[in-house]
Amino acid sequence: MVLILAIALTLSLVFLFAVLRERDQFHLFTGARAGSDRPVFLAGLSGSSDTSLRQPMRAVVDGDGLIYISDTGNHRVAVFDDTGKPVRFIGVPGVGPGQINYPYGLAFRQNGNLLVADSANLTVSEFTRNGEFVGLFIRKDQGYKPGDMTSDGQGLLYISDLANHQVVVTGDDGRVVRTIKNPDQTVSYPQGLAVDGAGRLWVADSGNYQLKLFDQEGHPLRTLTGAEDGKEKFSMVRGLALDKRGRLYVADSLAGRVRAFDAEGKELFSFGEPGHEKGQFTYPMGLYVDAQDRIYVADRGNDRIQIWGYR
């Protein structure tokens, strides 16, 4: 009898956890505005029992409001609508054409197709937004290890090259335009990337626990350690994103928070804290800001995407 009661209690708790997880997965979108001083937690997206995310690295949003997520631990791209309902999955695990092995960065070409940085297959694959494989945008024999990606909206794509400690810049056709690294080769394991309105590139120099700013030609302009205003140094910088006001958001991963800076590098505020509850992060990674200044945080250690915004 005791054993039966214990089993029943265990099943009840499992069911309750599943219900709470399902209920908690999405409570968006109330129309976040950029009027308040700092963002607040809006929603968490983790999927349900059969669509659960696993160690997501990045999220981007298309013009129709669909959310594309590097579902890295499941070796696929998960697509959800703006209510949190799963729409489709792109790619299957593997090493062949159209297959994905450890997806990281995501970006859109000017034709609307999705680019997926496949860090383990050493490629960037191109898919239609419906999930049809188009071809390789970056090939394995080019010798890169793609990480994060971002575009400048003018036809240039920026790809962090984790193996060669540089940023590769391509045209919309995939041809390499230039590479960016410090002249003294001190960029180490570049992760997050963000391009501002002047075409300047911010790089999360993760191996050196710094941010580096480069001009359009790749010349270094500035270095931030996080401690410029007497604040704490960065613990480990990962994702970067810019909003319409020019505020730079930085995933300070080991600290379990996101920090915001103005265009001059002055820290404005931070949000989040380490943990597993709403509004808490465990190893936050990629960042993305949509047209309404909502901030998508790949909360990798908690297997979810968190969305923050201004009210």
Side-chain angles (χ1 to χ4, degrees):
M1 179 63 70
V2 174
L3 178 60
I4 294 174
L5 289 174
I7 293 174
L9 178 60
T10 300
L11 292 175
S12 298
L13 289 174
V14 169
F15 175 76
L16 177 61
F17 176 78
V19 169
L20 290 174
R21 178 182 173 92
E22 188 81 18
R23 188 179 64 187
D24 181 49
Q25 71 171 348
F26 223 69
H27 303 288
L28 210 49
F29 274 114
T30 55
R33 301 185 302 276
S36 56
D37 291 335
R38 62 181 63 203
V40 297
F41 173 81
L42 296 179
L45 174 57
S46 57
S48 58
S49 57
D50 58 343
T51 61
S52 295
L53 301 176
R54 185 180 173 202
Q55 299 177 343
M57 297 283 279
R58 189 77 151 84
V60 296
V61 181
D62 71 9
D64 296 324
L66 294 179
I67 305 166
Y68 296 73
I69 300 168
S70 287
D71 190 5
T72 307
N74 289 318
H75 307 290
R76 64 188 181 184
V77 175
V79 186
F80 292 81
D81 67 17
D82 61 4
T83 68
K85 179 181 177 180
V87 175
R88 70 182 67 92
F89 296 97
I90 296 176
V92 295
V95 298
Q99 297 179 331
I100 296 175
N101 188 9
Y102 204 83
Y104 188 165
L106 301 173
F108 294 108
R109 286 190 63 187
Q110 289 187 310
N111 63 8
N113 284 350
L114 177 71
L115 298 176
V116 181
D118 191 332
S119 291
N121 285 332
L122 308 180
T123 60
V124 174
S125 292
E126 180 177 356
F127 295 87
T128 68
R129 284 190 286 178
N130 288 325
E132 299 172 2
F133 177 65
V134 175
L136 292 179
F137 189 82
I138 294 292
R139 305 181 313 276
K140 182 176 181 178
D141 62 12
Q142 291 178 261
Y144 306 131
K145 183 179 177 65
D148 197 18
M149 295 191 298
T150 193
S151 64
D152 67 354
Q154 306 298 319
L156 291 181
L157 181 73
Y158 297 77
I159 306 168
S160 65
D161 178 9
L162 303 176
N164 300 299
H165 307 289
Q166 63 184 358
V167 177
V168 178
V169 186
T170 78
D172 189 59
D173 57 1
R175 296 182 182 180
V176 176
V177 176
R178 60 181 172 271
T179 58
I180 296 175
K181 62 174 68 178
N182 265 11
D184 56 3
Q185 308 265 321
T186 59
V187 172
S188 174
Y189 206 61
Q191 296 272 342
L193 305 172
V195 181
D196 68 14
R200 302 180 307 175
L201 175 69
W202 283 102
V203 178
D205 184 6
S206 296
N208 290 313
Y209 309 96
Q210 299 174 343
L211 301 183
K212 288 189 169 68
L213 179 65
F214 297 87
D215 68 15
Q216 289 179 308
E217 301 303 318
H219 303 122
L221 297 174
R222 182 182 302 160
T223 297
L224 294 181
T225 67
E228 283 73 16
D229 298 318
K231 304 291 181 65
E232 294 180 10
K233 291 183 178 180
F234 294 122
S235 63
M236 182 177 290
V237 286
R238 285 297 196 244
L240 301 179
L242 287 155
D243 69 11
K244 289 183 292 187
R245 292 187 180 183
R247 292 174 293 204
L248 177 69
Y249 300 93
V250 182
D252 196 356
S253 291
L254 293 183
R257 58 180 175 160
V258 176
R259 299 166 70 172
F261 297 80
D262 67 15
E264 302 304 317
K266 179 181 178 181
E267 185 164 2
L268 302 172
F269 55 80
S270 66
F271 61 89
E273 61 182 6
H276 309 288
E277 303 299 324
K278 292 180 181 179
Q280 296 180 332
F281 302 121
T282 299
Y283 206 58
M285 294 292 291
L287 301 180
Y288 179 82
V289 177
D290 70 10
Q292 289 154 330
D293 277 346
R294 291 183 292 231
I295 307 156
Y296 298 72
V297 183
D299 187 8
R300 185 187 183 200
N302 288 319
D303 298 324
R304 64 189 176 188
I305 300 294
Q306 290 197 43
I307 300 98
W308 293 64
Y310 297 87
R311 303 198 206 212

